[in-house]
Amino acid sequence: MPPYPLPRPGLAERLGTSFRETVGGLPAAFWWLWLSTLVNRLGGFVVTFLALYLTLDRHFSPAFAGLVASLYGLGGSVASVAGGVLADRIGRRPTLLAASVGTAVATLALGLVHPAWAIAAAAAVVGFTSNAGRPAVSAIMADLVPPADRVRAYSLNYWAINIGFAFSAAAAGLIAAHGYLLLFVGDAATTLLCAVVVFARVPETRPESGPASGGPERTPRARGTAPAGGGPGAPRVGLGAVLRNPVFMAFVGLTFLTGCVDGQGSIALPIVMGRNGFSPTDYGLVVSLNGVLIVLLQIPLTRLVEGRNRAAMLGAASLLTGCGFGLTAFAGAAWFYALTVTVWTAGEMLRVPAGMAIVAELSPVHARGRYQGVYSLAWTGASFIAPLMAGLLLTAGGGDAVWLTCTVLGAVTAAGFVRLLRGRTPELVRTHVATAAPVPVNADATTVAAS
């Protein structure tokens, strides 16, 4: 022992150490992907305010707004599987670039068209293009980041999404006061900027070849080389093999039910608040709290629960989500709506990084796109069903029927996650860790030539 007590580290030193442990050790290519996500989400105005745009500005019925939102979800459901297959076949990077450019064009078209049929068609296209790149993003992160760091990496990416969401939700309400078309233009512009970042700095990470049961993988291809993933030793995992994985598909099914509850934050909540006399700005500020809380608390919470039992985490997350929406039945003031958002946001912060990490651990290297695509299908499928669910329940029993259903689904999914994963997750990690190694990338990884 030293003859005198060692000084305790100061607050600034502790914060600095925590920050370095949180963001350190991740590849440069991950941070460029993170930046592209942030840029894209800073301008993500349209989806959050689509229901208000259709009902308040265009004077369509809530039923039509629900139909449009469902078509958006239907397009996303198709894109989840198609995008995952493309990410494995033609590469992560070209899939992400094509999806970003397509989203920018389709979003601008959605803001310019006027006939009801054209709005519905454009929404379906936006749903397809905006979701086609998501399996590629998740696969790139799984390719780049070692298994031990994946929960942290997915948390950081989710953090970027919500920094953007907090800004866009609050700003969109103010921008909409000067005309909804500005929302579509801004959304399209930031999506194009995201494509520029990917084009300039994010490399292709799909492995060229690899043994069927794990082992050394070859580095990602550069311009002018043969297409990756087609080597004779590359394992072939089709969609059928993914769909026949019972544990994974049960996990996807429970995630789908959770997504149906989550979707009410952008479908039923704005409609109910509008019926109760609240303005689009009020809704924007209330729902932006979701992003603000995640920005402030996601990283500390991830550090707190790192290494905890994931079955318990996902069970608690589902209960918080269901109860948070259930409390909305008693809301009559903006502060109470904000309280409900706080509760279901806590569930969201627990659920998303843990769920993404489980999927990455279950995914063989050469099928990461397909696995991530089927997992994304749970969310995009929910975005198709959630508006229909909201429309039917609002018509039949008003907001109370929606919030009661959310509470019941929260309890059911909590029990399902605990039942499915309790005592099983560590075994799954050990089984698949050999095929879940990161793809070796150039140490710089930021100067890969654009193909």
Side-chain angles (χ1 to χ4, degrees):
M1 281 184 66
Y4 49 86
L6 294 174
R8 296 182 61 187
L11 177 61
E13 184 179 349
R14 293 199 301 272
L15 289 175
T17 301
S18 177
F19 177 78
R20 288 190 296 272
E21 290 176 351
T22 299
V23 304
L26 296 173
F30 166 83
W31 288 110
W32 284 113
L33 186 66
W34 184 91
L35 178 62
S36 73
T37 299
L38 175 62
V39 168
N40 190 15
R41 295 309 177 107
L42 284 171
F45 305 128
V46 169
V47 174
T48 304
F49 275 71
L50 186 59
L52 288 174
Y53 163 68
L54 293 172
T55 55
L56 296 183
D57 188 69
R58 300 301 307 277
H59 307 294
F60 288 108
S61 68
F64 180 74
L67 173 63
V68 169
S70 293
L71 290 173
Y72 173 90
L74 179 61
S77 298
V78 176
S80 295
V81 177
V85 172
L86 289 173
D88 286 338
R89 285 190 176 178
I90 69 172
R92 312 341 186 177
R93 187 169 175 269
T95 300
L96 183 54
L97 283 171
S100 298
V101 174
T103 301
V105 173
T107 298
L108 191 58
L110 179 60
L112 293 174
V113 297
H114 292 284
W117 67 267
I119 290 173
V125 175
V126 172
F128 181 89
T129 55
S130 62
N131 287 281
R134 291 185 181 182
V137 171
S138 298
I140 290 172
M141 284 191 286
D143 292 339
L144 291 171
V145 178
D149 292 329
R150 282 184 186 143
V151 170
R152 181 163 59 101
Y154 284 121
S155 292
L156 286 166
N157 190 67
Y158 193 58
W159 191 47
I161 290 171
N162 284 279
I163 291 174
F165 175 76
F167 171 83
S168 64
L174 301 175
I175 295 171
H178 301 282
Y180 278 90
L181 181 60
L182 293 175
L183 298 181
F184 294 89
V185 173
D187 201 329
T190 54
T191 305
L192 278 179
L193 185 55
C194 165
V196 170
V197 174
V198 172
F199 182 79
R201 292 296 185 181
V202 177
E204 177 58 70
T205 64
R206 186 184 57 162
E208 276 192 64
S209 63
S213 59
E217 298 167 5
R218 295 174 61 186
T219 56
R221 69 184 181 97
R223 181 175 59 183
T225 62
R236 298 191 179 276
V237 180
L239 275 177
V242 180
L243 298 175
R244 289 191 298 272
N245 184 328
V247 174
F248 177 72
M249 292 309 299
F251 183 77
V252 169
L254 290 169
T255 302
F256 166 77
L257 294 179
T258 301
C260 289
V261 177
D262 275 0
Q264 304 313 314
S266 59
I267 304 298
L269 184 59
I271 292 175
V272 170
M273 288 186 68
R275 286 179 175 179
N276 291 337
F278 293 93
S279 68
T281 301
D282 294 328
Y283 168 70
L285 291 174
V286 166
V287 80
S288 70
L289 182 61
N290 171 260
V292 170
L293 289 171
I294 292 173
V295 169
L296 294 177
L297 301 177
Q298 181 69 66
I299 300 305
L301 182 63
T302 299
R303 290 175 56 81
L304 181 65
V305 302
E306 194 168 11
R308 306 277 181 173
N309 183 284
R310 291 183 187 169
M313 284 175 58
L314 289 172
S318 294
L319 285 177
L320 285 169
T321 301
C323 291
F325 280 103
L327 284 173
T328 312
F330 306 100
W335 69 266
F336 203 114
Y337 282 109
L339 174 63
T340 68
V341 171
T342 301
V343 176
W344 54 258
T345 297
E348 186 178 347
M349 287 190 289
L350 285 174
R351 182 184 64 249
V352 173
M356 295 293 291
I358 287 174
V359 175
E361 288 158 2
L362 290 173
S363 307
V365 170
H366 290 273
R368 278 175 179 155
R370 289 173 172 83
Y371 269 79
Q372 294 290 351
V374 173
Y375 179 66
S376 295
L377 183 61
W379 296 106
T380 54
S383 69
F384 171 62
I385 295 298
L388 298 177
M389 169 179 146
L392 291 173
L393 291 173
L394 286 171
T395 301
D400 289 349
V402 176
W403 313 132
L404 175 61
T405 302
C406 289
T407 305
V408 172
L409 287 178
V412 168
T413 55
F417 279 126
V418 171
R419 170 85 177 180
L420 178 69
L421 298 176
R422 185 172 53 191
R424 187 189 296 268
T425 304
E427 177 186 347
L428 292 174
V429 174
R430 285 195 299 271
T431 300
H432 290 274
V433 72
T435 61
V439 175
V441 183
N442 203 318
D444 186 13
T446 60
T447 57
V448 175
S451 58

